[in-house]
Amino acid sequence: KRGLRCSNTIDTVLSRIAEARASLNLTPPLEIYNDIGGAPNGLWKLIKKAQEGGVRHAISNNWHHYEQTQLYKDTMHEIKEELIAAVGEHRRFREKNPGVKNISNEDSQYKQFMKQIAMKKQQLDDALAQDQSLSPCSSEMLNEKTTRLQIDRYSLDRLFPPMPQDEAERCNIKKLRNLLDVISRSPAVGKAILGECAKSKDLLDMPNKLAHVDKMKLDSSNIQYGGLVDTAIARVEEKFGGMVQSFVETTDDLLPDLAAACEVHAATLRDSATAAAAEDTASTLQTTCEEVETIDADAKRGAEFYGDEIRRLLELQEEVRAFTTRLMAERFLSEDADADAEAEGKQEEEESGVDDQLLAQLIEMGFDSETASGALLRNDNAYEASLNDCLS
């Protein structure tokens, strides 16, 4: 019987704790609108957190995101222009010098690079579209949001004035606050009662434990523990029984009063322009904090994305530059080869040729062409030596 009574008591206490917590979850927002005024502590903590880091990080990451986006665009444009210019110059060289050997056809590699650039361009367009869908926030909009959060506690409290006296009297705000204060302590009281119940259950099980010990002792079978145990249990039940009765009576009295007071307060809030303004202010500031946090997170992820893509884009740029450098080297080597061949031919011509003017002078003097040219060749076109050679 005692075990059943203790179990029922525990169920009753747990039920009252659940009711008290449920009533607290359904209570009106007294922090936002009451007879004292001032901003809710939770809202101030949220704004303070934004001021200490969120706003600064949001501005920094948003700007870094913008810089990375522009760098990606500029780098891709630079790669494309560099590739088109280099390939165009190579094609013109090939057209002007169709007979030049060891000049590669650039079309295949050029098309492959242009395909990669087109894919990068599509990735950029998709990323920009996603940026707009995540946090369509310009620098001006972000500055407006961050400016809204640059407020001190005194200025914030002034945005939440106390309710007018007639509204405070209508909903009996002081009584409502006292009810909430008492109900808020109910779960703690209930836990203390549950602790006493647990002690009682341990004592209820003591006769079984003592009986087991008694069987283990051959010389103590006549010892009686029942009276001692009954006395101990009675004392514990008397102690926590009074606590349970008081707790149940308190919650039975307060919970209906709290429900009625909340209903009156809710009706007052619905009809109050001051309350509506306070709730709008709180909602706007809280939403602004959340938006700044979202912008910060999106901008950070965007900057990291573009940072990774820029590294890949720079690798592509290195490949393009290696390709354009090879084309330039081919043209340079081909031009050098042509120049060397021309110089060599000219040198051979100079080395093996006869000065026509000197040859004509010797012929006018009566020497035949063969004798005169042979003399000039043997004497490297030296006129006097060639003349002596012809005369000898």
Side-chain angles (χ1 to χ4, degrees):
K1 291 181 179 180
R2 289 189 180 111
L4 180 61
R5 188 164 63 248
C6 186
S7 178
N8 291 338
T9 300
I10 291 175
D11 292 340
T12 301
V13 173
L14 291 174
S15 175
R16 288 299 189 276
I17 291 175
E19 290 179 13
R21 286 176 174 168
S23 67
L24 291 174
N25 291 333
L26 298 175
T27 53
L30 289 186
E31 282 194 339
I32 294 179
Y33 191 56
N34 53 54
D35 57 332
I36 299 175
N41 290 328
L43 179 62
W44 170 243
K45 289 179 180 179
L46 193 63
I47 294 175
K48 192 66 176 176
K49 179 182 177 182
Q51 292 175 348
E52 292 174 351
V55 170
R56 183 176 65 256
H57 293 159
I59 295 175
S60 175
N61 287 328
N62 198 56
W63 176 249
H64 186 49
H65 183 192
Y66 172 77
E67 282 187 323
Q68 294 291 82
T69 305
Q70 291 300 121
L71 179 59
Y72 189 93
K73 291 180 181 178
D74 296 342
T75 303
M76 185 169 58
H77 179 75
E78 181 182 344
I79 292 173
K80 185 176 181 180
E81 293 299 316
E82 182 180 351
L83 180 63
I84 292 175
V87 170
E89 184 178 357
H90 195 71
R91 284 176 178 171
R92 289 190 293 271
F93 180 84
R94 287 176 57 214
E95 292 172 356
K96 291 181 180 180
N97 304 276
V100 177
K101 299 180 181 180
N102 300 325
I103 295 294
S104 61
N105 189 333
E106 74 290 338
D107 289 342
S108 177
Q109 187 67 46
Y110 171 74
K111 291 178 181 178
Q112 184 177 351
F113 279 132
M114 290 301 290
K115 184 177 180 180
Q116 293 184 55
I117 292 174
M119 292 175 61
K120 294 291 184 184
K121 175 65 167 59
Q122 185 61 48
Q123 284 182 343
L124 175 62
D125 292 341
D126 293 343
L128 291 175
Q130 186 177 12
D131 289 345
Q132 292 298 320
S133 65
L134 287 177
S135 53
C137 181
S138 63
S139 298
E140 292 77 12
M141 291 176 62
L142 179 58
N143 289 336
E144 179 183 348
K145 295 179 185 299
T146 54
T147 300
R148 188 180 301 154
L149 298 179
Q150 298 305 313
I151 188 172
D152 56 30
R153 182 61 190 262
Y154 173 75
S155 301
L156 180 65
D157 285 339
R158 294 186 63 184
L159 298 177
F160 296 88
M163 59 170 52
Q165 185 176 358
D166 60 328
E167 294 182 4
E169 293 176 352
R170 175 185 170 188
C171 65
N172 200 348
I173 190 70
K174 293 183 179 180
K175 176 182 177 181
L176 178 57
R177 185 181 288 108
N178 291 334
L179 285 171
L180 288 172
D181 183 55
V182 175
I183 293 296
S184 65
R185 293 198 298 268
S186 295
V189 175
K191 287 184 179 179
I193 295 173
L194 289 176
E196 295 297 331
C197 290
K199 294 179 183 179
S200 177
K201 290 183 69 176
D202 289 339
L203 288 175
L204 288 171
D205 193 46
M206 189 175 295
N208 295 330
K209 295 179 180 179
L210 294 176
H212 176 71
V213 173
D214 190 50
K215 291 179 181 179
M216 300 297 292
K217 297 180 179 179
L218 297 178
D219 59 347
S220 59
S221 58
N222 294 323
I223 299 177
Q224 299 295 323
Y225 300 102
L228 296 175
V229 171
D230 288 343
T231 302
I233 292 176
R235 289 176 180 175
V236 173
E237 285 183 335
E238 180 181 357
K239 178 180 179 181
F240 83 80
M243 295 173 62
V244 171
Q245 184 64 27
S246 175
F247 177 69
V248 171
E249 291 176 355
T250 300
T251 52
D252 282 346
D253 293 339
L254 294 184
L255 289 176
D257 287 349
L258 179 62
C262 290
E263 185 176 350
V264 174
H265 186 271
T268 305
L269 254 64
R270 287 194 298 268
D271 300 335
S272 173
T274 307
E279 290 181 342
D280 287 344
T281 300
S283 177
T284 299
L285 291 172
Q286 183 173 354
T287 301
T288 301
C289 290
E290 294 171 353
E291 288 175 344
V292 168
E293 186 176 354
T294 299
I295 292 170
D296 178 27
D298 290 344
K300 184 177 180 180
R301 284 193 298 269
E304 291 174 351
F305 167 78
Y306 286 111
D308 293 338
E309 289 301 315
I310 287 173
R311 283 190 287 272
R312 297 187 183 94
L313 197 61
L314 291 176
E315 293 175 358
L316 176 60
Q317 186 177 44
E318 290 299 320
E319 295 178 12
V320 170
R321 286 181 175 173
F323 170 67
T324 58
T325 300
R326 178 172 62 80
L327 295 181
M328 184 174 62
E330 289 180 358
R331 297 194 303 273
F332 178 77
L333 293 175
S334 176
E335 291 173 349
D336 281 354
D338 291 343
D340 291 343
E342 183 179 353
E344 185 177 350
K346 185 176 181 181
Q347 182 178 1
E348 289 177 356
E349 181 180 350
E350 291 176 352
E351 291 176 353
S352 61
V354 175
D355 192 317
D356 294 338
Q357 186 177 1
L358 296 178
L359 178 61
Q361 292 180 10
L362 290 176
I363 291 175
E364 288 179 0
M365 295 177 66
F367 301 108
D368 59 75
S369 176
E370 184 177 356
T371 301
S373 61
L376 289 170
L377 288 174
R378 286 191 296 272
N379 293 283
D380 295 330
N381 289 319
Y383 178 73
E384 291 184 0
S386 299
L387 178 60
N388 293 331
D389 194 345
C390 291
L391 294 174
S392 58

